[in-house]
Amino acid sequence: MDTQVAIVGAGPAGLVLSHLLDRQGIDCVVLENRSRAYVESRIRAGVLEYSTVELLCALGLGDRLMRERMVHHGLELLFEGTAHRIPLSELTGGKTITIYGQHELVKDLIKARLDKGGDILFDISDVAVYGLDERRPTVRFGHRGAAHELRADFIAGCDGFHGVCRQSIPLGVLRSLERVYPFSWLGILAQAPPSSAELVYARHDRGFALHSMRNAEVTRLYLQVAPDESLERWPDQRIWGELRTRLARDADWELTTGPVLEKGITPMRSFVAEPMQYKRLFLAGDAAHIVPATGAKGLNLAVADVTALAAGLTAWYSTGRTDLLDSYTTTCLQRVWRVQHFSWWMTSMLHKLSDNAFDEQLQLSQLRYVTSSATAATSLAENYVGFPYAFD
Ligand code: FAD
Ligand code: PHB
């Protein structure tokens, strides 16, 4: 098999890249080790930045998104029992955020790609990357009981944090920068109408809680738990009780409950591998970096990476120019580090970090500042709705 760009991973990074390349007439094949049903039902992110939505619409991928999404103009920070609204749109010249499940977006991206005759191979096994030092590297994999080789001009490693692409880069090339937080998130998806119109990020003495949603009937809720927590210790009743306590507020407010549709534990981690390229292999999205979910940025960062990669590949194929590919890491890392800082800052401000009263007072001071100063609130809002990215 032969193509121009071999894309490993059919998550948001790999799929959006396949659409960006197709638009420029660049041939690609997407290789995914899970089944289509699995990737289409994996519950993950829910917040799309303003520019991510603009990009998807410009690519003709926004029809169902625009029909079914929820548009939010603000969010709430809840601390000491009182909710404070950050008016995101008012502070960012009218920008909004979009609530739309990542798995719904993945469904849209896969369907649109297959409808156009694009190649996505699901259920592949034993993926391995070879010949990175050669002019045309190769991806070897198993599919339907047979061994295959896909030769390409470039490989896009869009295979997430646990994928094989980053690990195929020779030792000594990458530098990994990492922070692991002493807590995880326990997340549930519940068949229950949202209890608030907007997202609520809560700092509580018992730990962080987040109220999010997917649509008018489905809520997404998270709790800060111990890093090594096991789900068996969290029957539904305990989860609802803890959410009710941590999300409680002065006013007349009640947490809507309902059947729990999905439950999971996610570690909180900040990670960056640099450079994001080795010869003809380019890493994008979670394969290159992870942000703690408190900033709602991972999916958006994955999309921003592949717009930069597509621009570089387009320049290479159309004119032979290499400058944009050469500066891929520098271009991406500028945004990556801004997002790393914002995600770390939100995480540090809202989670229970220790029993140290000094830390607690610093958090409360920061929360009071960001909810009372228009300047501080604008900085949060600008980062949360996201910075624009260039694409053509
Ligand atoms: P992935 O989505 O991980 O996709 C990688 C793909 O590669 C997968 O389909 C995987 O099966 C496949 N793969 C792996 N190994 C191989 C292999 N060897 N061969 C072939 N295929 C392989 N981000 C936000 O922006 N907003 C949020 O609100 C948000 N909330 C989150 C909540 C949770 C609970 C979690 C876990 C994450 C959240 N994120 C959020 C982060 C976001 O989901 C990720 O950053 C995003 O999925 C990254 O996309 P990706 O395409 O880089 O990687
Ligand atoms: C979600 O809806 O899943 C979500 C929302 C905001 C976050 C993280 C996750 O910061």
PDB file of all heavy atoms in Angstrom, residues 289-308:
ATOM      1  N   HIS A 289       1.255  15.838  23.692  1.00  0.00           N
ATOM      2  CA  HIS A 289       1.044  16.594  24.935  1.00  0.00           C
ATOM      3  C   HIS A 289      -0.301  16.265  25.571  1.00  0.00           C
ATOM      4  O   HIS A 289      -1.263  15.914  24.907  1.00  0.00           O
ATOM      5  CB  HIS A 289       1.127  18.105  24.664  1.00  0.00           C
ATOM      6  CG  HIS A 289       0.463  18.509  23.378  1.00  0.00           C
ATOM      7  ND1 HIS A 289      -0.895  18.430  23.185  1.00  0.00           N
ATOM      8  CD2 HIS A 289       0.972  18.954  22.206  1.00  0.00           C
ATOM      9  CE1 HIS A 289      -1.189  18.832  21.964  1.00  0.00           C
ATOM     10  NE2 HIS A 289      -0.080  19.134  21.335  1.00  0.00           N
ATOM     11  N   ILE A 290      -0.319  16.425  26.894  1.00  0.00           N
ATOM     12  CA  ILE A 290      -1.544  16.192  27.673  1.00  0.00           C
ATOM     13  C   ILE A 290      -1.727  17.397  28.585  1.00  0.00           C
ATOM     14  O   ILE A 290      -0.752  17.879  29.163  1.00  0.00           O
ATOM     15  CB  ILE A 290      -1.386  14.940  28.583  1.00  0.00           C
ATOM     16  CG1 ILE A 290      -1.221  13.665  27.745  1.00  0.00           C
ATOM     17  CG2 ILE A 290      -2.536  14.799  29.570  1.00  0.00           C
ATOM     18  CD1 ILE A 290      -2.492  13.148  27.147  1.00  0.00           C
ATOM     19  N   VAL A 291      -2.959  17.849  28.693  1.00  0.00           N
ATOM     20  CA  VAL A 291      -3.245  18.911  29.670  1.00  0.00           C
ATOM     21  C   VAL A 291      -4.286  18.402  30.657  1.00  0.00           C
ATOM     22  O   VAL A 291      -5.152  17.613  30.273  1.00  0.00           O
ATOM     23  CB  VAL A 291      -3.757  20.212  28.986  1.00  0.00           C
ATOM     24  CG1 VAL A 291      -2.629  20.950  28.326  1.00  0.00           C
ATOM     25  CG2 VAL A 291      -4.883  19.936  27.997  1.00  0.00           C
ATOM     26  N   PRO A 292      -4.220  18.828  31.922  1.00  0.00           N
ATOM     27  CA  PRO A 292      -5.292  18.430  32.837  1.00  0.00           C
ATOM     28  C   PRO A 292      -6.611  19.020  32.333  1.00  0.00           C
ATOM     29  O   PRO A 292      -6.635  20.134  31.805  1.00  0.00           O
ATOM     30  CB  PRO A 292      -4.864  19.038  34.177  1.00  0.00           C
ATOM     31  CG  PRO A 292      -3.866  20.095  33.855  1.00  0.00           C
ATOM     32  CD  PRO A 292      -3.228  19.708  32.559  1.00  0.00           C
ATOM     33  N   ALA A 293      -7.702  18.260  32.490  1.00  0.00           N
ATOM     34  CA  ALA A 293      -8.968  18.599  31.814  1.00  0.00           C
ATOM     35  C   ALA A 293      -9.642  19.863  32.343  1.00  0.00           C
ATOM     36  O   ALA A 293     -10.629  20.324  31.764  1.00  0.00           O
ATOM     37  CB  ALA A 293      -9.920  17.409  31.914  1.00  0.00           C
ATOM     38  N   THR A 294      -9.117  20.447  33.414  1.00  0.00           N
ATOM     39  CA  THR A 294      -9.770  21.614  34.022  1.00  0.00           C
ATOM     40  C   THR A 294      -9.884  22.803  33.063  1.00  0.00           C
ATOM     41  O   THR A 294     -10.754  23.661  33.242  1.00  0.00           O
ATOM     42  CB  THR A 294      -8.998  22.051  35.300  1.00  0.00           C
ATOM     43  OG1 THR A 294      -8.400  20.904  35.889  1.00  0.00           O
ATOM     44  CG2 THR A 294      -9.910  22.714  36.278  1.00  0.00           C
ATOM     45  N   GLY A 295      -9.007  22.877  32.069  1.00  0.00           N
ATOM     46  CA  GLY A 295      -9.092  23.978  31.110  1.00  0.00           C
ATOM     47  C   GLY A 295      -9.945  23.652  29.897  1.00  0.00           C
ATOM     48  O   GLY A 295     -10.184  24.522  29.057  1.00  0.00           O
ATOM     49  N   ALA A 296     -10.400  22.389  29.770  1.00  0.00           N
ATOM     50  CA  ALA A 296     -11.212  21.937  28.629  1.00  0.00           C
ATOM     51  C   ALA A 296     -10.495  22.162  27.292  1.00  0.00           C
ATOM     52  O   ALA A 296     -11.089  22.643  26.327  1.00  0.00           O
ATOM     53  CB  ALA A 296     -12.585  22.623  28.635  1.00  0.00           C
ATOM     54  N   LYS A 297      -9.235  21.819  27.228  1.00  0.00           N
ATOM     55  CA  LYS A 297      -8.418  22.215  26.072  1.00  0.00           C
ATOM     56  C   LYS A 297      -7.891  21.093  25.182  1.00  0.00           C
ATOM     57  O   LYS A 297      -7.475  21.362  24.053  1.00  0.00           O
ATOM     58  CB  LYS A 297      -7.196  23.007  26.569  1.00  0.00           C
ATOM     59  CG  LYS A 297      -7.521  24.361  27.132  1.00  0.00           C
ATOM     60  CD  LYS A 297      -7.924  25.295  26.036  1.00  0.00           C
ATOM     61  CE  LYS A 297      -8.492  26.591  26.552  1.00  0.00           C
ATOM     62  NZ  LYS A 297      -9.491  27.171  25.698  1.00  0.00           N
ATOM     63  N   GLY A 298      -7.829  19.851  25.656  1.00  0.00           N
ATOM     64  CA  GLY A 298      -7.098  18.808  24.940  1.00  0.00           C
ATOM     65  C   GLY A 298      -7.532  18.626  23.491  1.00  0.00           C
ATOM     66  O   GLY A 298      -6.703  18.606  22.576  1.00  0.00           O
ATOM     67  N   LEU A 299      -8.818  18.521  23.287  1.00  0.00           N
ATOM     68  CA  LEU A 299      -9.340  18.310  21.930  1.00  0.00           C
ATOM     69  C   LEU A 299      -9.007  19.515  21.043  1.00  0.00           C
ATOM     70  O   LEU A 299      -8.593  19.369  19.890  1.00  0.00           O
ATOM     71  CB  LEU A 299     -10.857  18.117  22.024  1.00  0.00           C
ATOM     72  CG  LEU A 299     -11.656  17.731  20.799  1.00  0.00           C
ATOM     73  CD1 LEU A 299     -13.004  17.192  21.245  1.00  0.00           C
ATOM     74  CD2 LEU A 299     -11.891  18.878  19.858  1.00  0.00           C
ATOM     75  N   ASN A 300      -9.178  20.684  21.611  1.00  0.00           N
ATOM     76  CA  ASN A 300      -8.936  21.908  20.844  1.00  0.00           C
ATOM     77  C   ASN A 300      -7.466  22.045  20.445  1.00  0.00           C
ATOM     78  O   ASN A 300      -7.144  22.468  19.335  1.00  0.00           O
ATOM     79  CB  ASN A 300      -9.381  23.113  21.680  1.00  0.00           C
ATOM     80  CG  ASN A 300     -10.868  23.062  21.973  1.00  0.00           C
ATOM     81  OD1 ASN A 300     -11.682  23.259  21.080  1.00  0.00           O
ATOM     82  ND2 ASN A 300     -11.231  22.760  23.209  1.00  0.00           N
ATOM     83  N   LEU A 301      -6.594  21.643  21.350  1.00  0.00           N
ATOM     84  CA  LEU A 301      -5.162  21.699  21.075  1.00  0.00           C
ATOM     85  C   LEU A 301      -4.795  20.691  19.973  1.00  0.00           C
ATOM     86  O   LEU A 301      -3.956  20.969  19.112  1.00  0.00           O
ATOM     87  CB  LEU A 301      -4.418  21.364  22.368  1.00  0.00           C
ATOM     88  CG  LEU A 301      -3.020  21.887  22.573  1.00  0.00           C
ATOM     89  CD1 LEU A 301      -2.936  23.374  22.286  1.00  0.00           C
ATOM     90  CD2 LEU A 301      -2.560  21.615  24.010  1.00  0.00           C
ATOM     91  N   ALA A 302      -5.441  19.552  19.989  1.00  0.00           N
ATOM     92  CA  ALA A 302      -5.202  18.538  18.961  1.00  0.00           C
ATOM     93  C   ALA A 302      -5.584  19.106  17.586  1.00  0.00           C
ATOM     94  O   ALA A 302      -4.857  18.938  16.599  1.00  0.00           O
ATOM     95  CB  ALA A 302      -6.019  17.278  19.270  1.00  0.00           C
ATOM     96  N   VAL A 303      -6.702  19.813  17.528  1.00  0.00           N
ATOM     97  CA  VAL A 303      -7.153  20.390  16.255  1.00  0.00           C
ATOM     98  C   VAL A 303      -6.196  21.506  15.819  1.00  0.00           C
ATOM     99  O   VAL A 303      -5.846  21.613  14.637  1.00  0.00           O
ATOM    100  CB  VAL A 303      -8.615  20.906  16.381  1.00  0.00           C
ATOM    101  CG1 VAL A 303      -9.044  21.643  15.116  1.00  0.00           C
ATOM    102  CG2 VAL A 303      -9.561  19.743  16.668  1.00  0.00           C
ATOM    103  N   ALA A 304      -5.741  22.316  16.772  1.00  0.00           N
ATOM    104  CA  ALA A 304      -4.810  23.400  16.426  1.00  0.00           C
ATOM    105  C   ALA A 304      -3.510  22.825  15.856  1.00  0.00           C
ATOM    106  O   ALA A 304      -2.985  23.328  14.855  1.00  0.00           O
ATOM    107  CB  ALA A 304      -4.517  24.255  17.657  1.00  0.00           C
ATOM    108  N   ASP A 305      -2.994  21.743  16.453  1.00  0.00           N
ATOM    109  CA  ASP A 305      -1.760  21.109  15.935  1.00  0.00           C
ATOM    110  C   ASP A 305      -1.928  20.712  14.472  1.00  0.00           C
ATOM    111  O   ASP A 305      -1.059  20.973  13.646  1.00  0.00           O
ATOM    112  CB  ASP A 305      -1.454  19.800  16.691  1.00  0.00           C
ATOM    113  CG  ASP A 305      -0.862  20.015  18.068  1.00  0.00           C
ATOM    114  OD1 ASP A 305      -0.533  21.153  18.416  1.00  0.00           O
ATOM    115  OD2 ASP A 305      -0.739  19.007  18.805  1.00  0.00           O
ATOM    116  N   VAL A 306      -3.032  20.037  14.169  1.00  0.00           N
ATOM    117  CA  VAL A 306      -3.143  19.508  12.805  1.00  0.00           C
ATOM    118  C   VAL A 306      -3.404  20.596  11.770  1.00  0.00           C
ATOM    119  O   VAL A 306      -3.087  20.406  10.599  1.00  0.00           O
ATOM    120  CB  VAL A 306      -4.150  18.330  12.687  1.00  0.00           C
ATOM    121  CG1 VAL A 306      -3.656  17.135  13.484  1.00  0.00           C
ATOM    122  CG2 VAL A 306      -5.561  18.722  13.068  1.00  0.00           C
ATOM    123  N   THR A 307      -3.912  21.760  12.188  1.00  0.00           N
ATOM    124  CA  THR A 307      -4.012  22.854  11.205  1.00  0.00           C
ATOM    125  C   THR A 307      -2.603  23.315  10.825  1.00  0.00           C
ATOM    126  O   THR A 307      -2.341  23.615   9.663  1.00  0.00           O
ATOM    127  CB  THR A 307      -4.838  24.058  11.718  1.00  0.00           C
ATOM    128  OG1 THR A 307      -4.221  24.590  12.868  1.00  0.00           O
ATOM    129  CG2 THR A 307      -6.258  23.676  12.049  1.00  0.00           C
ATOM    130  N   ALA A 308      -1.700  23.341  11.816  1.00  0.00           N
ATOM    131  CA  ALA A 308      -0.311  23.737  11.521  1.00  0.00           C
ATOM    132  C   ALA A 308       0.373  22.673  10.659  1.00  0.00           C
ATOM    133  O   ALA A 308       1.105  22.991   9.711  1.00  0.00           O
ATOM    134  CB  ALA A 308       0.463  23.944  12.819  1.00  0.00           C
TER     135      ALA A 308
END
